[in-house]
């Protein structure tokens, strides 16, 4: 997909879970540990992948439903899930296929890139530390870096300020409607990561993104064209 190049592209920002990294294996292991410990059936891989972008509570709701989750103690179970996840952060987690090649290419072009995620810093920082191939990340904005999180545009502006780039010159890539809203609210170009954790009942065409890519390789191809 080709747009009219409204302004030169000078940086790329990524969501983390479901965009830069496939974290579903480890988040799924954490929610299933909690569910089985409480005497309930584990979630299927398909449900986990459709629900991961909704966070710990979203995963627990998928297994228990709203009423039972509240009855058992949502805060207690969320804490148990996050404790297990923090102890097993990078067992099955991997960058998506083609992502390391894309990052290497961005580095070769000296195009700054960074991460804006709603994952809390106590999880984001050790996870990225376990993946030295992502060490060239220019900025990481976690859920608690600022008082607000996506879809508020403040984390997007903060990332751009840290990189020394105006938001209008940035592309933000994410797999959730709040990612697209955050990017649009900040005046960025936005792209749907179609390889991410999209639910069957979601239609990313309704999100108002500028671009949609089914694979990391398609994004890489577009960037090569855009920066040629």
């Amino acid at each position: 997909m080709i747009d009219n190049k409204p302004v030169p592209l000078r940086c790329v920002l990524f969501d983390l879970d479901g965009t830069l990294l496939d974290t579903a294996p480890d988040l799924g292991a954490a929610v299933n540990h909690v569910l089985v410990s409480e005497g309930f059936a584990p979630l299927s891989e398909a449900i986990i992948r459709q629900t991961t972008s909704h966070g710990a509570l979203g995963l627990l709701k998928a297994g228990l439903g709203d009423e039972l989750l509240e009855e058992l103690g949502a805060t207690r179970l969320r804490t148990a899930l996050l404790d297990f996840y923090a102890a097993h952060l990078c067992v099955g987690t991997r960058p998506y296929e083609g992502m390391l090649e894309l990052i290497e290419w961005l580095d070769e072009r000296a195009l700054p890139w960074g991460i804006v995620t709603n994952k809390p810093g106590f999880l984001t920082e050790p996870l990225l530390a376990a993946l030295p191939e992502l060490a060239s990340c220019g900025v990481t904005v976690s859920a608690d870096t600022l008082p607000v999180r996506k879809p508020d545009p403040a984390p997007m502006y903060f990332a751009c300020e840290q990189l020394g780039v105006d938001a209008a010159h940035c592309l933000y890539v994410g797999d959730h409607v709040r990612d697209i809203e955050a990017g649009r609210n900040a005046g960025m170009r936005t792209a749907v990561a179609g390889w991410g954790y999209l639910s069957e009942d979601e239609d990313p065409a309704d999100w108002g993104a500028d671009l949609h890519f089914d694979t990391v390789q398609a994004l890489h191809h577009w960037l090569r064209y855009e920066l040629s």
Side-chain angles (χ1 to χ4, degrees):
M1 180 177 180
I2 300 171
D3 68 3
N4 295 321
K5 298 186 180 181
V7 292
L9 185 65
R10 293 178 181 160
C11 82
V12 181
L13 296 175
F14 298 94
D15 175 47
L16 187 60
D17 300 74
T19 301
L20 191 68
L21 299 179
D22 181 6
T23 56
D26 293 329
L27 282 163
V31 69
N32 282 341
H33 168 78
V34 173
L35 291 174
V36 172
S37 297
E38 296 288 325
F40 298 96
L43 295 177
S44 68
E45 181 180 354
I47 295 298
I48 289 168
R49 290 193 170 277
Q50 291 178 31
T51 315
T52 293
S53 284
H54 298 286
L57 286 177
L59 286 163
L60 289 166
K61 287 179 183 179
L64 299 172
D66 290 335
E67 186 175 335
L68 186 54
L69 177 58
E70 289 304 317
E71 180 182 324
L72 293 172
T75 299
R76 177 181 69 86
L77 295 184
R78 179 180 182 273
T79 299
L81 187 159
L82 292 179
D83 285 347
F84 184 92
Y85 179 53
H88 306 82
L89 260 181
C90 201
V91 178
T93 291
R94 298 290 184 273
Y96 279 98
E97 182 182 354
M99 188 57 74
L100 294 183
E101 290 79 4
L102 171 55
I103 295 302
E104 182 180 1
W105 180 81
L106 291 174
D107 292 341
E108 289 172 355
R109 293 293 302 261
L111 198 77
W113 67 275
I115 296 166
V116 182
T117 176
N118 277 1
K119 201 183 198 78
F122 83 94
L123 297 172
T124 302
E125 293 168 13
L127 175 57
L128 293 177
L131 296 163
E133 55 267 49
L134 301 179
S136 62
C137 178
V139 62
T140 301
V141 184
S142 298
D144 45 2
T145 301
L146 301 175
V148 294
R149 61 178 70 183
K150 299 179 295 184
D152 192 287
M156 319 300 281
Y157 289 132
F158 180 79
C160 288
E161 288 169 5
Q162 297 301 301
L163 294 174
V165 178
D166 188 271
H169 294 273
C170 182
L171 174 70
Y172 187 62
V173 186
D175 70 319
H176 195 278
V177 63
R178 66 172 168 262
D179 298 325
I180 304 306
E181 290 174 353
R184 291 178 63 194
N185 290 341
M188 298 176 177
R189 273 187 280 181
T190 56
V192 174
W195 59 86
Y197 305 137
L198 305 180
S199 301
E200 290 181 348
D201 59 353
E202 292 178 309
D203 185 359
D206 296 333
W207 298 354
D210 299 295
L211 302 155
H212 184 123
F213 300 105
D214 290 330
T215 65
V216 177
Q217 292 81 357
L219 168 61
H220 193 168
H221 178 78
W222 181 86
L223 285 167
R224 284 181 179 275
Y225 169 84
E226 184 73 2
L227 296 171
S228 61

